[in-house]
Amino acid sequence: MTINAPRGVHDIIGANAFKMTELENNAKFIFARHGFIEARTPIFEDIALFIRSIGEQTDIVSKEMYVFEDKKGKKFALRPEGTASFVRAYIEHRLDMSYPEGKFFYSGEMFRYERPQAGRYRQFHQIGGEFLGNSSPSADAEIIIITADILSSVGIKELSIHINSLGCCNCRPKFRQALIDYFSSIKDLCQDCQIRLEKNPLRLLDCKIDSSKFTNVPKMTDFLCPECKENFSIAQDLLKSAGYKFRVDDKLVRGLDYYNRIVFEIRSSVLGAQDALAGGGRYDNLVKDLGGQPIPAVGFALGSERVILAAQETDFFEKKEKAKKIYIAVADKELIGDAFAFAIRITKQGLKNNKNISVYPPLIDKNFTNQLKFANKINADETIVFAKNEFDNGNLIVKDMKARTQIEIPISEI
Ligand code: HAM
């Protein structure tokens, strides 16, 4: 009996691994330009951390967490997202002291027990950024811009940025009440919505089942207090002046409870149902709620698998991937030492000069004919042949494997 990977969990090999690394490298480059530093946090945490931060009634905590007990009966959960863990680390290490107005990024595996489908997995990867210690709309705008820039950096063009404001503890209760009044008048709400109506009425706004029944739903933007209104409006002005198009989406509420004020999602039409490439927003109360100082914060995370799926529409990764493949062959076995040393030397030179080549040293278990067959099998662009007569004259044979031509080139010129 063979054992396969669990449902919704994937091996990432070859071209897919290459794409993920490329995306992570691009993101790191953009983060560095904005002064972000890296943070790596554990893959599992005390379950209480996620319950207190993401919210007990959210789908993530109530339905989707991978929970386990250790040998002493202590309950842990595999991280379903990165913000809670990062904020725990931020408080634990007093990063507010060492990094006032600190910007941090992370990347890694997240785990949610969801129904798997294209773009939705049980183990997936996020790249995220968190900006702690600044409550201004310029921090909001910077986070949205970085998210969009990372997505554009892998060639995705059709991005739509959705933003909304969820208000603050002063204005949200009035909106919450207006929603309760409104939704209570609607008949036949689905089972989830009936529970949400009691615990978190905002979540009804993005119900996939009942949404067609909702017309003229109260809008948070009509309930914002003057300060929230001003912040939201400045963030929009900043995005506009930086040349980023967005739309205000009254239905955007996000699936995690820690948000206040601005929230956003960046979507791509090429993805179908799972169209959110990235999401985030402000969470000014979370650090305090988890036992830290009252420190404002804003952040985002993107789903790497979804971004890679969306980027398939472009030739970004394919173009990048095309390293020139060179096989080094030996026609006469006595030259194996010279050929092998040469292969290693040009590999290093390629690395040093940032040349996009991959070099395959000679395989001495194969005769010359089989080496050439191997070169074809790996789809080599060129084979450089060490052959006695030519080598004695200071030359190597360079075979163009695609054009099926060959020339002799002095070793010193290769
Ligand atoms: P989130 O919207 O839950 O936010 O997740 C961010 C992104 O992760 C989504 O937009 C999506 O691309 C990806 N994602 C989520 N679930 C799955 C899944 N099952 N399979 C594949 N991809 C998935 C957060 O996690 C927040 N921590 C973002 C944040 C950071 N807010 C403030 N700081």
Side-chain angles (χ1 to χ4, degrees):
M1 254 220 326
T2 54
I3 300 171
N4 295 329
R7 200 161 115 78
V9 172
H10 297 280
D11 301 304
I12 304 169
I13 297 168
N16 285 335
F18 171 84
K19 290 174 187 177
M20 195 152 289
T21 306
E22 249 340 277
L23 171 64
E24 283 164 3
N25 287 345
N26 271 16
K28 279 183 189 168
F29 188 67
I30 292 168
F31 280 128
R33 288 195 163 175
H34 285 265
F36 280 65
I37 58 165
E38 187 167 6
R40 297 188 189 214
T41 59
I43 235 158
F44 67 95
E45 300 268 1
D46 188 323
I47 188 173
L49 174 68
F50 301 118
I51 297 174
R52 274 171 60 188
S53 54
I54 300 169
E56 197 156 12
Q57 300 309 324
T58 58
D59 284 353
I60 297 179
V61 167
S62 65
K63 300 180 187 164
E64 296 169 2
M65 275 206 303
Y66 279 89
V67 176
F68 64 97
E69 282 185 9
D70 72 2
K71 292 200 192 308
K72 289 199 169 147
K74 195 156 170 33
K75 268 197 173 175
F76 295 98
L78 295 183
R79 61 181 181 194
E81 58 110 48
T83 309
S85 303
F86 174 70
V87 171
R88 195 261 315 129
Y90 181 86
I91 298 167
E92 196 168 326
H93 305 292
R94 287 306 308 263
L95 297 181
D96 56 322
M97 305 293 276
S98 33
Y99 300 99
E101 322 238 356
K103 301 178 190 178
F104 307 86
F105 75 90
Y106 51 83
S107 60
E109 296 81 358
M110 307 292 157
F111 306 86
R112 295 184 193 178
Y113 189 82
E114 292 196 81
R115 203 159 44 78
Q117 62 183 73
R120 189 164 71 193
Y121 314 106
R122 290 183 173 168
Q123 175 176 321
F124 59 98
H125 293 73
Q126 280 189 347
I127 298 174
E130 315 287 354
F131 185 171
L132 284 91
N134 189 289
S135 61
S136 75
S138 47
D140 302 345
E142 190 183 13
I143 284 290
I144 296 174
I145 287 170
I146 291 171
T147 315
D149 284 358
I150 295 175
L151 300 176
S152 309
S153 78
V154 293
I156 306 175
K157 288 192 185 70
E158 301 298 317
L159 294 176
S160 59
I161 304 179
H162 295 238
I163 64 171
N164 194 15
S165 175
L166 300 180
C168 64
C169 54
N170 295 323
C171 51
R172 204 190 306 183
K174 288 178 205 129
F175 176 55
R176 193 173 184 276
Q177 191 53 52
L179 285 180
I180 294 174
D181 295 345
Y182 171 83
F183 288 124
S184 304
S185 68
I186 292 178
K187 291 192 183 71
D188 302 328
L189 289 175
C190 74
Q191 232 176 10
D192 274 350
C193 278
Q194 290 177 27
I195 300 168
R196 286 175 189 144
L197 186 55
E198 262 178 49
K199 314 264 181 185
N200 188 357
L202 258 74
R203 299 282 302 139
L204 273 83
L205 289 172
D206 68 353
C207 175
K208 305 272 181 300
I209 303 169
D210 286 337
S211 59
S212 60
K213 296 179 196 151
F214 305 155
T215 46
N216 293 327
V217 190
K219 293 177 182 167
M220 183 66 224
T221 40
D222 292 336
F223 289 80
L224 293 178
C225 63
E227 214 189 315
C228 284
K229 205 177 226 163
E230 194 191 5
N231 271 270
F232 194 41
S233 148
I234 296 174
Q236 293 181 52
D237 289 345
L238 294 175
L239 287 173
K240 270 183 217 154
S241 48
Y244 289 75
K245 289 203 181 86
F246 58 88
R247 62 181 253 217
V248 176
D249 179 348
D250 301 306
K251 292 218 162 122
L252 181 65
V253 287
R254 311 274 300 128
L256 307 100
D257 281 354
Y258 47 63
Y259 292 112
N260 66 309
R261 291 202 167 153
I262 199 163
V263 288
F264 71 98
E265 261 176 30
I266 305 191
R267 299 177 186 160
S268 158
S269 55
V270 301
L271 280 192
Q274 304 305 321
D275 62 354
L277 297 174
R282 186 158 275 291
Y283 51 98
D284 293 331
N285 303 314
L286 186 58
V287 182
K288 188 159 177 284
D289 288 350
L290 290 176
Q293 301 296 311
I295 285 174
V298 58
F300 81 96
L302 62 80
S304 302
E305 285 84 355
R306 285 190 198 172
V307 172
I308 289 166
L309 274 177
Q312 263 163 16
E313 295 289 303
T314 75
D315 57 358
F316 177 81
F317 289 117
E318 281 63 31
K319 261 205 217 135
K320 279 256 167 178
E321 211 178 346
K322 253 211 119 10
K324 189 172 183 182
K325 274 190 196 167
I326 304 167
Y327 178 67
I328 312 295
V330 250
D332 300 288
K333 286 251 158 98
E334 68 214 75
L335 296 177
I336 181 67
D338 297 284
F340 193 80
F342 175 83
I344 301 303
R345 203 167 65 239
I346 64 165
T347 308
K348 283 191 181 151
Q349 261 170 23
L351 280 175
K352 204 166 108 197
N353 301 331
N354 213 0
K355 284 255 168 18
N356 203 6
I357 55 170
S358 40
V359 185
Y360 293 69
L363 295 171
I364 40 171
D365 60 332
K366 300 183 197 317
N367 63 27
F368 184 50
T369 314
N370 284 340
Q371 287 182 55
L372 292 182
K373 277 190 188 155
F374 171 77
N376 278 325
K377 207 152 107 190
I378 60 167
N379 220 359
D381 297 286
E382 279 177 8
T383 298
I384 300 180
V385 185
F386 279 68
K388 180 97 181 68
N389 287 344
E390 290 78 2
F391 189 75
D392 286 346
N393 293 328
N395 291 338
L396 297 176
I397 301 165
V398 178
K399 279 176 173 294
D400 183 325
M401 304 300 283
K402 305 276 146 78
R404 295 178 178 275
T405 55
Q406 65 177 53
I407 45 169
E408 263 180 57
I409 300 184
I411 299 176
S412 56
E413 282 178 28
I414 292 188

